Structures are given as C-alpha cells and as structure tokens.
Amino acid sequence: MFTGIIQSKGSVKDLHASEKGIILEINSNSLDLSDCSIGDSIAVNGVCLTVTKLKANSFISDVSQETLNCTTFSELKKGQNVNLEKSLRLNQGIDGHIVSGHIDGVGELISLRKEGVSNRLKIEVKNDLIKYIAKKGSICINGVSLTVNEVKNNIFDVNIIPHTWSETTFDDLTENSMVNIEIDIIARHIEQLISHRSSE
C-alpha cells in the first residue's frame, strides 16, 4: 500500500523487452534505498513494482504485458522522469489517501492552465472510470494523491499547488499527455458490495 505522497523524482535508466513484458531499471536519485530489499514494493508513476535487483542508486523490476496494456508504461523512454514512493510502513502516517498501486486506466490531459500560483488540469477518462470519480473525492494521478475539484461528463479537474508541481513530474506534462489513474479504492469496494447484494 502507498499514500500518494511522492518521495522523490527518479528517472528511467534502462528498459528492454523480456519474454513477458519489459525489464525496467529506475534511477532512484534522492530516494533512499538503504532500507529496501529484494521483493519490496516501490510505486513508479503510481504503478506498484516489485524490486528484483538493487544497485547503489537504482533498482530493477519486471513489468508484465498486462501492466503495459493498462498503464502509460508502454510509452516509457530512457531518461524520462518518474514519480517514486516506497510502500507504506506500519509506523508511517498517511498524509494522502490509501493507494494500492494498481492502475485502473489511463487518462488524457486535455487542458493545463495557470490559476493563481497553481495549475489546473482537466483530464478525460473512459466511461467505465468516470462513475467512480466524485467531486471533492480522492484520486491518484501518476502516483500523486489529489482532490477532485469538478466532474463533468467524462472530464474531471484537479488543482496542483506549487510544491506538488515542483516535487513531482507534473511539470513535464503537456496537453495530450497520458497519465496513470487509480480511483479511490473505497469506491471500488462499495460497487462490489452493492453488486453482490443486488445479485442475491
């Protein structure tokens, strides 16, 4: 589990195809890996990856074809910046919201504009995702915990304060960029519960 509070910006050091997807090496930059072990989870742009090999300033993970199909990872390039967060520790506070690292789909950034000192993003998602996104509810975009401002048709918007903008990869985005979306896990469980009761 994660919180959606980014701990560091990393970058793609290397990636190459494997039999079942890709093998990805991530430069950790300022992220401290001294307390990490093989098998630990690290969220990369919101995607929960398992560490298969550790180096001094980087880690390696296997990425399945299913993950490539469901996320923006199919478009990753060497040198690209990524958001990093180590998995939640039991003694750690939750400053964002509960995030699983399991991406529900991708969205398209259709508008990016300044609003005072902040940046407002409008993101379009498919029909099967928008029903889970509520005004003033939580959402995770590229691993970042955010609050939804408005929802209209298939579009929702969020406001990014200057600190979040500078400490994450949001400043790399342009209009038409694709982003990883994880909806609030509570919404998923509520739907499952209601569907189960309805079937009974």
Side-chain angles (χ1 to χ4, degrees):
M1 303 298 289
F2 306 90
T3 67
I5 304 300
I6 301 305
Q7 297 167 334
S8 176
K9 284 194 285 188
S11 61
V12 178
K13 184 175 182 178
D14 192 23
L15 74 166
H16 58 271
S18 65
E19 291 183 2
K20 298 182 179 180
I22 63 172
I23 297 174
L24 184 62
E25 182 172 0
I26 300 293
N27 278 319
S28 58
N29 293 342
S30 62
L31 186 69
D32 182 12
L33 299 178
S34 64
D35 60 346
C36 292
S37 303
I38 304 302
D40 283 357
S41 297
I42 298 178
V44 179
N45 273 3
V47 181
C48 178
L49 296 181
T50 300
V51 175
T52 60
K53 187 175 181 179
L54 279 166
K55 297 184 179 180
N57 297 300
S58 67
F59 64 93
I60 294 174
S61 296
D62 294 316
V63 179
S64 70
Q65 187 60 50
E66 175 67 15
T67 298
L68 294 177
N69 293 341
C70 297
T71 70
T72 61
F73 274 23
S74 59
E75 300 176 356
L76 280 179
K77 296 177 176 61
K78 288 183 182 180
Q80 181 175 331
N81 292 326
V82 290
N83 294 320
L84 300 178
E85 181 190 355
K86 293 186 288 188
S87 59
L88 181 65
R89 308 295 185 182
L90 290 178
N91 63 347
Q92 181 182 334
I94 301 175
D95 294 318
H97 72 280
I98 294 295
V99 175
S100 69
H102 302 154
I103 302 302
D104 294 293
V106 297
E108 181 180 358
L109 177 59
I110 60 171
S111 174
L112 191 166
R113 61 182 173 84
K114 293 292 292 185
E115 190 170 272
V117 296
S118 300
N119 289 276
R120 183 167 288 245
L121 280 61
K122 288 184 179 293
I123 296 171
E124 185 173 13
V125 296
K126 293 182 179 178
N127 288 331
D128 59 347
L129 285 186
I130 198 67
K131 63 181 179 179
Y132 301 107
I133 301 173
K135 182 178 180 178
K136 301 307 177 185
S138 296
I139 195 157
C140 193
I141 302 174
N142 279 357
V144 183
S145 172
L146 296 166
T147 300
V148 176
N149 286 332
E150 298 286 347
V151 182
K152 185 175 182 181
N153 299 324
N154 282 16
I155 298 170
F156 70 93
D157 66 83
V158 293
N159 197 63
I160 314 295
I161 62 174
H163 175 78
T164 302
W165 190 261
S166 64
E167 296 299 316
T168 68
T169 62
F170 280 128
D171 59 355
D172 293 333
L173 296 179
T174 59
E175 290 186 1
N176 303 124
S177 291
M178 305 302 291
V179 294
N180 291 322
I181 302 288
E182 181 183 337
I183 58 171
D184 188 351
I185 194 170
I186 295 174
R188 277 284 192 205
H189 285 300
I190 290 174
E191 183 195 44
Q192 179 66 22
L193 179 62
I194 293 173
S195 298
H196 181 69
R197 286 184 174 179
S198 297
S199 65
E200 291 179 340

